[in-house]
């Protein structure tokens, strides 16, 4: 049957796409392979990867030393031992912990006026809830491994989603009598609530279990961290917890690298990223401030998410898991934000109430700041939108439509104009990358904005109309901060002033303007990077972006004639590249990487974009080899 006519506008967009592919920009993108060849032929690349076989000898020596050390198999033994414990041992631990923590806390609620019921209920809610959940485990003799194997849902998650071998499930209970030891461990943990809260005790235990899992399954661990990162605010120290778990993933990956089970490949898009990390690390060390050094180390640890995701997401299956790990939490967080707005729990901070009195507050969901929530939603939106624009089946398109709508509505309720700009940019980029007819997304986005402004003139319309107006105190505040930062760059342009809030304030206070002395950051990714590590770091950021987008553009052009590849790695490459674009656009107007969880996710998404482009190139190379044969 003849194909459907593209129509007048479709013909125009198709012609524009063909003209682009014949142009110099497309030619530059398609020359990525030549850049890779030049890099691999360079002296420094040979020095890094070869050194006359010294690298292989070193890896072989390290592998032999690792295999014969006590460290080898430690994670395996601990992990296997934990899942082979009888389920009733975990129930005994929880009940013992709940009873002992309650015995420790109840006397605190007695005072001269009697028993304080409300504080007692709040403090005992967690132990009581855990007890109710774990009591059924007392009535089974099966191991945790057998229970997981008997659940179809958990079996699918562990084997298909996390790469756990099926033979690792269904293991019988280990010998011995673990229940008394579980009771003793519960009593000790409950007694610890004399000094810390029950939630913090459980946080330590959960962190221990997470570290064991991440050491054993680093590939699945990085995907789990991507999904869990937005919810880290539930922990007392979100950034530190995330950093520690990421180090566990790195150690697990390094163990596999030493044993030859993983490979690290240096490509043109990775070189400037590594140099950028080095510049940030140097900025923290050079000033000798302890806080600045700790912040620089934390930033480098979180930025390693780029390299970890790039090296571990080497298959379409892994890329799909990562996409789900981004899309599902974003949908849940957006629904929480919408529920916060409906419940009237939105906050009025960071809002000029004299100018925007019609806006009933800004939602924050699981974040501390509406602008950070908006930045996260802008980062996730292209990934959520991908099934809708990439030819997925009807069921996935429906889910994508509903999820995209919830993310867009929650983004509106943050009232963050930088977040809106990033979200619109990401949506346009993925539409254009998936099809030349996606150019229609540009007028569509502008029309949608105009319709929203016309439908809600006192909220959306007013917020947009004052986007670049000095009458909005938030805009005036930002402009004064930018002016002070530009003045500071006269002295710190090439060296920066160090990493972290304290280092920024030490520099900024000497140049601040009236009314802005309490500014925590520069309200711009690019100014903040200049004041942190100087011009070399900003140059590396731009080179990293150019290399990444060139790589992704070359990959997308290479698979433009393959619909299957376009719907698979091609569409995922487009969505990840669009996510990076979204955050870089919103970062012009705000320091959207101020939240370390958003910073970590940004680095991971950039790594996923690079990994998906590599997968496309490898697939095309295999197709060429098969054609020759």
């Amino acid at each position: 049957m003849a194909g459907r006519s593209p129509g007048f506008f479709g013909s125009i967009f198709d012609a524009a796409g063909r003209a682009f592919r014949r142009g110099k920009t497309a030619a530059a993108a398609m020359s990525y392979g030549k850049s890779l060849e030049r890099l691999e032929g360079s002296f420094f690349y040979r020095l890094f990867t070869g050194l006359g076989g010294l690298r292989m000898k070193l890896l072989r020596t390290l592998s032999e030393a690792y295999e014969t050390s006590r460290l080898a198999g430690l994670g395996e033994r601990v992990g296997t031992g934990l899942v082979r414990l009888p389920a009733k041992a975990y129930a005994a631990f929880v009940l013992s912990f709940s009873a002992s923590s309650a015995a420790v806390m109840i006397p605190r609620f007695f005072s001269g006026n009697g028993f304080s019921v409300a504080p007692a209920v709040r403090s005992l809610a967690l132990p009581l809830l855990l007890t109710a959940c774990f009591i059924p485990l007392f009535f089974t003799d099966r191991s945790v491994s057998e229970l997981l194997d008997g659940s179809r849902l958990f079996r699918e998650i562990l084997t298909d989603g996390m790469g756990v071998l099926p033979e690792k499930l269904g293991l019988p209970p280990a010998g011995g009598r673990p229940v008394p030891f579980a009771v003793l461990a519960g009593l000790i943990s409950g007694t610890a609530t004399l000094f810390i809260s029950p939630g913090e005790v459980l946080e330590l235990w959960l962190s221990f279990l997470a570290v064991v899992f991440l050491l054993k399954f680093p590939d699945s661990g990085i995907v789990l961290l991507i999904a869990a990162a937005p919810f880290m605010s539930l922990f007392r120290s979100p950034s530190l917890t995330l950093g520690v778990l990421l180090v566990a993933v790195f150690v697990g990956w390094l163990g596999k690298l030493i044993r030859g089970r993983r490979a690290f490949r240096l490509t043109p898009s990775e070189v400037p990223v590594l140099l950028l990390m080095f510049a940030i690390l140097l900025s923290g060390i050079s000033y000798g401030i302890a806080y600045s050094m700790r912040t620089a180390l934390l930033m480098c640890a979180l930025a390693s998410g780029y390299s970890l995701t790039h090296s571990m997401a080497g298959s379409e299956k892994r890329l799909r898991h990562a996409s789900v790990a981004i899309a599902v939490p974003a949908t849940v967080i957006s629904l929480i934000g919408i529920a916060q707005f409906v419940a009237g729990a939105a906050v009025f901070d960071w809002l000029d109430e004299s100018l925007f009195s019609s806006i009933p507050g800004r939602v924050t969901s699981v974040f501390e700041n509406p602008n950070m929530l908006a930045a996260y939603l802008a980062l996730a939106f292209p990934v959520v939108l991908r099934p809708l624009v990439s030819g997925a089946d009807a069921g996935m398109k429906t889910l994508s439509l509903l999820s995209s709508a919830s993310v867009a509505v929650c983004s509106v309720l943050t009232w963050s104009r930088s977040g809106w700009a990033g979200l619109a940019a990401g949506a346009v980029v993925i539409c254009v990358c998936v099809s030349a007819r996606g150019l229609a997304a540009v007028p569509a986005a502008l029309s949608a904005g105009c319709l929203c402004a016309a439908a809600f003139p006192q909220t959306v319309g007013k917020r947009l109309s004052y986007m670049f107006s000095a009458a909005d105190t938030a805009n005036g505040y930002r402009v004064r901060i930018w002016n002070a930062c530009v003045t500071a760059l006269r002295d710190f342009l090439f060296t920066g002033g160090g990493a972290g809030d304290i280092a920024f304030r030490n520099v900024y206070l000497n140049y601040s303007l009236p009314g802005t002395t309490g500014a925590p950051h520069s309200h711009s990714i690019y100014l903040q990077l200049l004041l942190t590590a100087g011009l070399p770091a900003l140059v590396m950021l731009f080179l990293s972006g150019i290399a990444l987008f060139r790589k992704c553009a070359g990959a997308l052009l290479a698979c433009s004639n393959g619909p299957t590849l376009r719907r698979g790695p091609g569409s995922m490459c487009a969505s990840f590249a669009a996510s990076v674009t979204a955050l870089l656009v919103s970062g012009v107007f705000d320091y959207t990487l101020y939240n370390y969880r958003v910073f970590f996710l940004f680095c991971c998404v950039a790594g996923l974009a690079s990994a998906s482009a590599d997968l496309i190139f490898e697939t095309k190379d295999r197709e060429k080899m098969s054609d020759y044969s």
Side-chain angles (χ1 to χ4, degrees):
M1 187 173 66
R4 188 174 61 182
S5 174
F8 176 71
F9 290 105
S11 300
I12 291 177
F13 293 136
D14 287 344
R18 289 192 296 271
F20 173 79
R21 285 192 289 271
R22 291 194 298 265
K24 294 183 179 180
T25 304
M30 293 299 290
S31 64
Y32 174 81
K34 296 180 180 178
S35 299
L36 181 59
E37 292 175 2
R38 286 195 296 269
L39 174 66
E40 291 177 345
S42 67
F43 169 77
F44 292 104
Y45 185 86
R46 292 197 302 270
L47 183 67
F48 178 79
T49 58
L51 288 177
L54 179 62
R55 174 173 168 267
M56 296 304 299
K57 292 179 181 178
L58 178 62
L59 284 178
R60 206 162 31 242
T61 303
L62 289 175
S63 178
E64 293 173 357
Y66 181 85
E67 295 292 350
T68 57
S69 68
R70 293 184 178 181
L71 184 63
L74 178 62
E76 174 78 21
R77 292 192 297 272
V78 173
T80 302
L82 289 174
V83 296
R84 290 192 65 185
L85 283 176
K88 63 175 58 178
Y90 286 91
F93 169 81
V94 169
L95 294 180
S96 175
F97 166 74
S98 301
S100 57
S101 61
V104 168
M105 290 187 294
I106 285 177
R108 302 177 185 175
F109 305 115
F110 285 97
S111 61
N113 298 325
F115 185 72
S116 303
V117 177
V121 171
R122 287 195 298 269
S123 298
L124 297 175
L126 180 60
L128 291 174
L129 180 63
L130 288 173
T131 301
C133 293
F134 277 80
I135 278 181
L137 297 182
F138 258 124
F139 303 99
T140 179
D141 294 324
R142 302 170 72 185
S143 68
V144 174
S145 178
E146 290 175 323
L147 291 177
L148 293 174
D149 186 52
S151 169
R152 183 175 179 180
L153 174 63
F154 282 106
R155 184 178 177 83
E156 289 293 327
I157 291 175
L158 291 171
T159 57
D160 183 65
M162 298 184 181
V164 178
L165 296 176
E167 55 266 25
K168 297 294 184 181
L169 298 177
L171 300 176
R177 302 179 62 187
V179 173
F181 292 99
V183 171
L184 179 61
L187 289 173
I188 295 173
S189 301
T191 307
T193 56
L194 283 168
F195 312 101
I196 57 178
S197 68
E200 291 169 341
V201 173
L202 290 177
E203 181 181 327
L204 291 174
W205 277 108
L206 289 174
S207 299
F208 167 73
L209 295 175
V211 167
V212 171
F213 177 84
L214 297 176
L215 288 172
K216 174 61 180 172
F217 303 106
D219 296 4
S220 303
I222 191 68
V223 176
L224 285 178
L225 284 185
I226 290 173
F231 302 100
M232 287 288 181
S233 56
L234 300 174
F235 290 85
R236 186 175 182 180
S237 302
S239 302
L240 181 60
T241 303
L242 181 59
V244 169
L245 295 178
L246 192 59
V247 168
V249 171
F250 177 77
V251 172
W253 172 80
L254 188 62
K256 291 180 180 292
L257 178 68
I258 290 174
R259 288 178 285 177
R261 299 181 183 178
R262 292 294 179 273
F264 178 77
R265 186 186 181 196
L266 192 65
T267 67
S269 60
E270 277 68 63
V271 173
V273 174
L274 295 175
L275 292 176
L276 175 60
M277 292 170 62
F278 178 73
I280 292 174
L281 181 63
L282 193 63
S283 72
I285 296 174
S286 60
Y287 282 88
I289 304 173
Y291 177 82
S292 183
M293 293 172 64
R294 290 196 300 269
T295 303
L297 287 171
L298 178 61
M299 292 180 69
C300 288
L302 297 178
S304 68
Y306 176 93
S307 299
L308 291 173
T309 51
H310 175 253
S311 62
M312 295 182 189
S315 67
E316 184 176 346
K317 183 178 179 181
R318 288 288 183 194
L319 290 172
R320 291 192 183 280
H321 292 164
S323 296
V324 172
I326 295 171
V328 173
T331 304
V332 173
I333 288 170
S334 64
L335 292 175
I336 293 173
I338 294 171
Q340 180 186 9
F341 178 80
V342 173
V347 299
F348 289 90
D349 298 334
W350 310 283
L351 187 67
D352 188 343
E353 294 186 48
S354 63
L355 195 61
F356 302 109
S357 57
S358 301
I359 294 178
R362 306 177 68 181
V363 299
T364 57
S365 189
V366 298
F367 289 85
E368 299 82 12
N369 183 304
N371 291 332
M372 295 301 105
L373 172 60
Y376 166 74
L377 294 176
L379 179 71
F381 187 68
V383 181
V384 176
L385 189 65
R386 181 187 65 83
L388 186 63
V389 300
S390 63
D393 57 68
M396 286 301 299
K397 281 190 174 183
T398 302
L399 288 175
S400 176
L401 176 62
L402 295 175
S403 297
S404 301
S406 66
V407 171
V409 169
C410 186
S411 180
V412 170
L413 296 178
T414 63
W415 305 107
S416 171
R417 291 164 293 196
S418 62
W420 295 352
L423 187 137
V428 169
V429 169
I430 186 176
C431 289
V432 171
C433 288
V434 168
S435 171
R437 299 181 190 180
L439 289 169
V442 177
L446 293 174
S447 300
C450 293
L451 287 174
C452 287
F456 306 99
Q458 294 302 315
T459 51
V460 177
K462 200 169 186 179
R463 192 75 172 154
L464 288 174
S465 64
Y466 282 92
M467 188 169 185
F468 300 104
S469 173
D472 186 351
T473 56
N475 291 342
Y477 179 73
R478 274 181 171 79
V479 170
R480 290 196 298 274
I481 291 174
W482 292 343
N483 286 334
C485 289
V486 170
T487 303
L489 288 176
R490 296 174 183 174
D491 299 322
F492 294 92
L493 178 61
F494 294 101
T495 61
D501 298 350
I502 296 177
F504 172 78
R505 283 195 289 268
N506 287 342
V507 171
Y508 177 77
L509 285 176
N510 297 320
Y511 305 89
S512 62
L513 299 176
T516 65
T517 53
H521 51 75
S522 65
H523 283 280
S524 171
I525 288 178
Y526 311 102
L527 280 176
Q528 188 73 25
L529 190 58
L530 280 171
L531 286 173
T532 297
L535 185 61
L538 184 64
V539 171
M540 288 302 107
L541 176 65
F542 279 118
L543 291 178
S544 300
I546 292 171
L548 179 62
F549 288 123
R550 184 185 178 193
K551 182 178 185 178
C552 292
L556 291 171
L557 289 171
C559 69
S560 58
N561 295 323
T564 303
L565 198 62
R566 169 70 74 178
R567 287 195 295 268
S571 64
M572 287 186 280
C573 180
S575 67
F576 296 137
S579 295
V580 173
T581 304
L583 207 65
L584 291 178
V585 169
S586 63
V588 174
F589 310 102
D590 204 352
Y591 182 36
T592 47
L593 302 181
Y594 181 68
N595 185 294
Y596 287 131
R597 288 168 285 155
V598 177
F599 175 71
F600 164 71
L601 290 172
F602 171 72
C603 296
C604 289
V605 169
L608 291 170
S610 182
S612 56
D614 282 339
L615 181 60
I616 292 172
F617 288 131
E618 291 169 5
T619 304
K620 299 300 289 186
D621 289 342
R622 285 196 297 268
E623 290 177 356
K624 290 180 181 178
M625 293 298 294
S626 63
D627 291 340
Y628 290 143
S629 60

